[in-house]
Structures are given as structure tokens and as C-alpha cells.
């Protein structure tokens, strides 16, 4: 069993707190390693040395920092299969999905290769007599990234690439369930030329997070995880005067209009509902067909597709559609929620509770589960299940489907399947959700746009990646400069226009 470590000052460093968390292979249920949980002292030392390293990094010109991103991107591509294997071993997702996890992170690194264009300020000459104005974007200093288990490559890359390209140092605290990918990415960044100490990967739990939130050196916190923790972190970071953006959970609805292509809608629902065992913040967990005919037509198409799904270990390569959920506790919680759905009156069309795989009986698998006639008062509707469970809520009209989506406390992603451009346009314009798909089930925006939900799916300002990331990780300074040729002597006492 491997003893994992931290990445401090450019080296793999063993933990000294004496506290560890188990790292599992969810496909087999075996423990593969133990990860150290940092103490306050370990974290404080890592932050202090990041602050020293940041000075030189901030003084490095943006093109040179961007060149590190270019080499880093090339190294990620060269090591794609190795990184995907690390992702899948600790998370359980299939290898093609593991490669997708790395790829969607790489795309953000690619945007950061052009960081100098995003970091330029503005200039106005002759803003007044002999007066020029210019603004500059400067790094914040030491910032922190705290990331969830479900995208062990993509989300750490969303955090580290724009923060580092902007001239900050970063303390990255990855999920203790999937720590290995972040450690390997840190090694690749060093190989790409990142100076030691600029990225510190510190593993840990609440003790490490609270130390980050209270430490005076840390200027900003970027968090991704569940809503209760997002809300907690946002509150504590903001109370300590830090900039914070905290992205939380989701309950994503897909509306299916009677004029939709039903086969395409069913394909989309199966992929978006069961891919990665439903452990995506952009997974579709609620299907909302409009009208009973649409609902019946959808069930008729979903059932055979679900029956064909192959669930298994990532080591089966391309032969599996999705793998296990992350832990035994998650498996039990999901099965418990399925039972609650039955008890509360939903129609269980497909039951994944008894799923078992020969040779992998100890893996954390849940079979694909489909409910019909779900209502908003049921726990399976109210809670983020984060498992392979799709709930169908029948709506009588488009307005009822839209209202259901809008009344939900989460607002990460949503989609509509329709052949009517007017309805699609109305939906995109009115719905109070951050990312919208039209005949597109998982509308994670390209890295040149930005990613972020509304309502209880995000706390704080600005989105992740794209132009917003450079705004989040820099501060604007504006200079008003005057040169005195042709200016008369004499003090000015009024706050007047420059002209
Ligand atoms: P989580 O909230 O349990 O953990 C996220 C991070 O917070 C981890 O690094 C963890 O160590 C830390 N943490 C956990 N409990 C803590 C506590 N009490 N105090 C301080 N820190 C704590 O989330 P998870 O289970 O790893 O990830 C799944 C969740 O993330 C889902 O809710 C999913 O929807 C959400 N998610 C959201 C987005 C988004 O962009 N909105 C993206 C991916 C995942």
C-alpha cells in the first residue's frame, strides 16, 4: 500500500501530522494507499514558502509564465494515458472518461498560454491636460484552491492554470479521496519550468481547509464541492476579508418538449444521467417531459437503453459505460435514497440496488436506476443524489416545466430538447440557471467562455476559467500620471473634471 505525500517546495514530502485518510480503488473496494492529512504547522510553513516564491514569479514577465503553460500543456498531452489511469484508479470512472477529465482541464491550460493578452491593462492618453491614465492587472499573492473528488484532473487544472499564469502562488488542497493526479500534475509543472514553491499541493481535511481560510497570507479561495461546504467556506473566507468563489452542488433538469426528437432525447438522458455514475455536477438527474404522451414515449425508449448499459471497472477499457461510485458510504447513501423514493410513492421503473459484478463484489457499484412519477416533495427530488439515478417528473405544460426548473434551489446546468426555436429561445432567456443546453444535455462551456452556476450552485463573484478567471486572480490598479509641460502653477482645491 502506497503512502502518499504532499508536494512542497518542488519535492514530494511525507506528512508529519500522523493523521491519514484511506485512498481506495472504488472498482475493487481495495485500499490502494493512505494520504497524509496536513497539520496547521505543515500548512503554515507551506504558505510562508509559497509567499517567498511568489515574489520572483510575479516579477517574471507574463510571456515567460505563459511559456511554462505551453510546456505544461505539451507534457499533459504526452502523459495523457498515465494521468487518466490515475484519475480512474482513485475515482472509478472509465478510462475514456478519465481522458476526458484530463482533456477538459488541458483546454483551460491552453487558454492560459494566451494569458498575457488577458492580463494587459488599458491606456488613455490625454485624459486631461498633460494627463495619461493606465490600468494594470496585478497578481493577488498566495491564493488557494480546494477541489472535489469527481474531477481529479480537470478541476485542479481549472484552479491552478489561471492562478499561476496570472503570477500568483497557489496552495492546492485536492480531495483526499483522489489526491494522486494533483501530485503528478505538480511534477509536470516543475518539468515545464515552474519555480519550486509557486505551487504547493497540500493534502488534508477540514483542519487544512480551516487553516487556509484563517491564514492572513492567503488572498483568495477558489472552492468546488458540495453546497453546504461551499456556503461554509464562502462565509468564513469572506469574513476574513478574502476574495472567494465557491461552487456547489446541483440538480440539473432537462425539459423534453412533445416535438423533440425522442430517440436523441433518450440517448442524451442516458449519457448525461448515468455517465461517470452520475457523479458530475452537470449530470442530468431530473427529466421533465411535457405531457403524458411525451413521458410515456420517453420511458419506452429509456428502458431498453438502460438495460444495455455496461457497468464495470475502468480496467475493462472501452467496454464499460460507467464505473462504481466513490465510496462504500456513497453506495449505501444512494441505495437508501432509492428506497426512500419507493416508500414516498415514486414508480421504480429500473432498480439498481441489487447490482453485483462477478469478481468485483466488493466494488462500490450501483446499477442504473430510473424513477417515474417523481414529485418535488420527495427526497429523491430534493437531494443531490450524485449517483446513477434518473428521476422523471411529469409536467402538463412548458410553463409548468419551466417553473419547476426555476423553483429548484440549485441552478448549475439545465437543458431543453425541442424542435421549436421560439421555445428554446424563451427558455434560454428566462431560466435562472447558469449554463443552458439546447438539444445539448451537458452544456459545460468551452474554456474560452466561463463556467458557473446560479442560486445555491455558486457563492461569490465571477465564474471559473475564461476571462473571469483572470479577473478573479488579479487586482486592478489604475494610475493617473501628469507631466508638467504647459501646465500653470497653483494648487487645485475642487474635485473637478480633468478637462
Ligand atoms: P465535498 O464538499 O465533500 O468536498 C470538497 C472539498 O472540500 C474537498 O477538498 C474536501 O476535503 C473539503 N471538505 C469536505 N468537508 C469539509 C469540511 N467540513 N470543512 C472544510 N472542508 C471540507 O465535495 P465532494 O464530495 O468531494 O464533491 C462532490 C460535490 O461537488 C457535489 O456536490 C458536486 O455537485 C460538487 N461539484 C460542483 C461543481 C461545480 O462547479 N459547481 C463541480 C464539481 C463538483
Amino acid at each position: 500500500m502506497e503512502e502518499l505525500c504532499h508536494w512542497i517546495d518542488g519535492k514530494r514530502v511525507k506528512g508529519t501530522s500522523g493523521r491519514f485518510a484511506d485512498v481506495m480503488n472504488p472498482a475493487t473496494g481495495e485500499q490502494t494507499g493512505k494520504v497524509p492529512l496536513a497539520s496547521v504547522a505543515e500548512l503554515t510553513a507551506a504558505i510562508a514558502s509559497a509567499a517567498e516564491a511568489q515574489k520572483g514569479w510575479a516579477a517574471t514577465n507574463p510571456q515567460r509564465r505563459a511559456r511554462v503553460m505551453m510546456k505544461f500543456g505539451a507534457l499533459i498531452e504526452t502523459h495523457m494515458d498515465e494521468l487518466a489511469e490515475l484519475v480512474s484508479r482513485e475515482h472509478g470512472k472509465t478510462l475514456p472518461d478519465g481522458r476526458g477529465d484530463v482533456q477538459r482541464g488541458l483546454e483551460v491550460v491552453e487558454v492560459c498560454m494566451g494569458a498575457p493578452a488577458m492580463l494587459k491593462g488599458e491606456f488613455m492618453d490625454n485624459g486631461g491636460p498633460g494627463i495619461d491614465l493606465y490600468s494594470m492587472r496585478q497578481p493577488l499573492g498566495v491564493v488557494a484552491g480546494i477541489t472535489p473528488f469527481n474531477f481529479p484532473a480537470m478541476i485542479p487544472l481549472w484552479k491552478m492554470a489561471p492562478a499561476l499564469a496570472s503570477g500568483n502562488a497557489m496552495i492546492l488542497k485536492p480531495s483526499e479521496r483522489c489526491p494522486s493526479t494533483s501530485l503528478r500534475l505538480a511534477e509536470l509543472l516543475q518539468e515545464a519550468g515552474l519555480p519550486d514553491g509557486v505551487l504547493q499541493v497540500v493534502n488534508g481535511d477540514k483542519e487544512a481547509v480551516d487553516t487556509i481560510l484563517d491564514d492572513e497570507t492567503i488572498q483568495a479561495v477558489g472552492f468546488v464541492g458540495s453546497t453546504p461546504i461551499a456556503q461554509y467556506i464562502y462565509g468564513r473566507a469572506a469574513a476574513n476579508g478574502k476574495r472567494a468563489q465557491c461552487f456547489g452542488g446541483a440538480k440539473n433538469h432537462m425539459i423534453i418538449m412533445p416535438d423533440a426528437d425522442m430517440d436523441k432525447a433518450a440517448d442524451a438522458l442516458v449519457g448525461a444521467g448515468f455517465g461517470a455514475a452520475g457523479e458530475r455536477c452537470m449530470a442530468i438527474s431530473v427529466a421533465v417531459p411535457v405531457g403524458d404522451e411525451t413521458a410515456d414515449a420517453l420511458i419506452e425508449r429509456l428502458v431498453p437503453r438502460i438495460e444495455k448499459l455496461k457497468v464495470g471497472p475502468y480496467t475493462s477499457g472501452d467496454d464499460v459505460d460507467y464505473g462504481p461510485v466513490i465510496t462504500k458510504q456513497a453506495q449505501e447513501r444512494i441505495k437508501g435514497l432509492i428506497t426512500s423514493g419507493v416508500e414516498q410513492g415514486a414508480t421504480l421503473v429500473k432498480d439498481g440496488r441489487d447490482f453485483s459484478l462477478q469478481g468485483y463484489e466488493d466494488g462500490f457499484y450501483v446499477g442504473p436506476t430510473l424513477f417515474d412519477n417523481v414529485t418535488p416533495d420527495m427526497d429523491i427530488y430534493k437531494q443531490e443524489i450524485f449517483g446513477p439515478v434518473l428521476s422523471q417528473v411529469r409536467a402538463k405544460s412548458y410553463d409548468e416545466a419551466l417553473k419547476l426548473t426555476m423553483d429548484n434551489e440549485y441552478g448549475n446546468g439545465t437543458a431543453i430538447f425541442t424542435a421549436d426555436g421560439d421555445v428554446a429561445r424563451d427558455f434560454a432567456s428566462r431560466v435562472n440557471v447558469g449554463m443552458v443546453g439546447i438539444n445539448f444535455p451537458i452544456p459545460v462551456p468551452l474554456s474560452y467562455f466561463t463556467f458557473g452556476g446560479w442560486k445555491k450552485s455558486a457563492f461569490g463573484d465571477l465564474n471559473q476559467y475564461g476571462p473571469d478567471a483572470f479577473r478573479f486572480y488579479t487586482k486592478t490598479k489604475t494610475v493617473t500620471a501628469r507631466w508638467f509641460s504647459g501646465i500653470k502653477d497653483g494648487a487645485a482645491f475642487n474635485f473637478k473634471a480633468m478637462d
Side-chain angles (χ1 to χ4, degrees):
M1 189 178 56
E2 188 185 2
E3 182 177 329
L4 292 153
C5 55
H6 308 296
W7 176 263
I8 311 277
D9 298 342
K11 290 185 284 296
R12 286 188 180 247
V13 172
K14 281 197 170 187
T16 57
S17 70
R19 294 195 307 123
F20 292 91
D22 296 344
V23 179
M24 309 295 290
N25 175 347
T28 60
E30 286 160 1
Q31 185 175 355
T32 55
K34 55 178 191 171
V35 63
L37 303 174
S39 63
V40 175
E42 286 172 292
L43 211 55
T44 309
I47 295 169
S49 95
E52 274 308 304
Q54 193 265 338
K55 292 177 195 159
W57 182 239
T60 304
N61 70 45
Q63 306 91 285
R64 286 188 187 278
R65 296 198 303 250
R67 260 175 238 146
V68 172
M69 291 295 142
M70 287 176 205
K71 287 191 189 139
F72 184 40
L75 285 166
I76 291 174
E77 276 195 287
T78 316
H79 293 270
M80 177 67 78
D81 287 344
E82 178 201 345
L83 289 165
E85 214 274 335
L86 284 180
V87 166
S88 297
R89 194 182 70 202
E90 291 179 353
H91 176 282
K93 61 180 73 176
T94 67
L95 277 174
D97 205 28
R99 279 192 285 275
D101 190 326
V102 181
Q103 177 64 34
R104 292 306 299 255
L106 171 60
E107 288 167 15
V108 171
V109 177
E110 285 166 352
V111 170
C112 293
M113 297 173 188
M118 311 299 292
L119 297 171
K120 287 194 282 111
E122 294 174 317
F123 183 86
M124 178 189 272
D125 72 335
N126 262 339
I131 295 173
D132 300 328
L133 291 100
Y134 59 95
S135 64
M136 47 182 132
R137 293 198 162 277
Q138 295 192 325
L140 302 178
V142 184
V143 299
I146 301 165
T147 56
F149 79 82
N150 70 323
F151 282 99
M154 180 182 84
I155 295 182
L157 286 167
W158 287 5
K159 298 289 163 211
M160 63 170 91
L164 299 176
S166 302
N168 300 285
M170 172 165 266
I171 305 292
L172 177 71
K173 201 231 59 83
S175 168
E176 60 275 37
R177 296 178 207 145
C178 303
S180 295
T181 313
S182 290
L183 292 166
R184 188 70 186 112
L185 287 170
E187 281 177 343
L188 295 180
L189 259 171
Q190 182 185 52
E191 203 177 324
L194 188 77
D196 293 347
V198 175
L199 175 70
Q200 314 272 52
V201 181
V202 187
N203 287 301
D205 57 1
K206 182 171 167 52
E207 183 172 330
V209 171
D210 286 348
T211 308
I212 287 170
L213 298 178
D214 294 342
D215 188 282
E216 286 186 0
T217 306
I218 303 277
Q219 297 298 307
V221 178
F223 170 87
V224 182
S226 58
T227 286
I229 310 298
Q231 203 158 5
Y232 162 72
I233 290 184
Y234 179 67
R236 191 154 167 173
N240 285 328
K242 299 183 196 314
R243 204 175 265 200
Q245 51 171 204
C246 301
F247 299 92
K251 195 83 186 174
N252 304 316
H253 293 48
M254 179 169 132
I255 297 177
I256 303 95
M257 296 298 292
D259 62 5
D261 180 324
M262 285 299 152
D263 287 309
K264 295 239 172 15
D267 285 341
L269 276 171
V270 170
F274 301 110
E279 288 177 326
R280 291 180 183 140
C281 69
M282 290 291 278
I284 295 288
S285 49
V286 184
V288 193
V290 171
D292 281 334
E293 248 178 62
T294 314
D296 294 341
L298 207 53
I299 293 283
E300 199 179 289
R301 285 164 176 78
L302 285 172
V303 169
R305 284 168 169 80
I306 288 174
E307 282 169 352
K308 276 196 213 127
L309 284 177
K310 290 191 213 132
V311 183
Y314 72 95
T315 41
S316 303
D318 293 354
D319 271 353
V320 282
D321 295 308
Y322 77 82
V325 297
I326 186 71
T327 56
K328 182 105 197 127
Q329 294 89 311
Q331 183 193 38
E332 280 163 9
R333 185 183 53 78
I334 294 163
K335 287 185 183 178
L337 273 164
I338 298 172
T339 303
S340 82
V342 177
E343 288 166 359
Q344 290 170 19
T347 311
L348 185 56
V349 182
K350 280 281 153 202
D351 183 357
R353 283 174 296 182
D354 291 334
F355 180 88
S356 172
L357 197 62
Q358 212 186 350
Y360 295 90
E361 287 79 2
D362 294 330
F364 311 138
Y365 298 94
V366 180
T369 298
L370 177 64
F371 277 111
D372 195 4
N373 300 308
V374 174
T375 52
D377 54 318
M378 296 175 183
D379 289 336
I380 49 169
Y381 181 80
K382 287 192 286 192
Q383 291 188 30
E384 181 185 33
I385 301 175
F386 225 53
V389 180
L390 182 63
S391 296
Q392 176 158 282
V393 181
R394 293 173 177 235
K396 289 193 180 58
S397 64
Y398 165 66
D399 283 337
E400 190 183 316
L402 177 63
K403 184 171 178 336
L404 182 81
T405 309
M406 292 183 67
D407 286 350
N408 194 272
E409 62 176 340
Y410 295 106
N412 215 36
T414 187
I416 188 164
F417 271 61
T418 180
D420 186 333
D422 282 328
V423 171
R425 230 177 141 251
D426 181 78
F427 179 69
S429 165
R430 282 164 68 195
V431 74
N432 55 359
V433 172
M435 292 169 282
V436 180
I438 295 173
N439 296 320
F440 196 85
I442 306 192
V444 174
L446 267 182
S447 50
Y448 300 91
F449 291 79
T450 69
F451 181 106
W454 289 14
K455 298 184 274 182
K456 285 200 172 167
S457 294
F459 303 86
D461 291 324
L462 298 171
N463 279 354
Q464 308 187 81
Y465 66 73
D468 271 12
F470 296 98
R471 292 187 191 113
F472 182 74
Y473 288 115
T474 57
K475 271 189 173 159
T476 303
K477 185 184 282 174
T478 310
V479 179
T480 305
R482 184 165 64 174
W483 301 98
F484 290 112
S485 59
I487 307 281
K488 288 187 201 140
D489 287 346
F493 296 98
N494 299 329
F495 194 69
K496 56 176 187 166
M498 287 179 188
D499 55 359

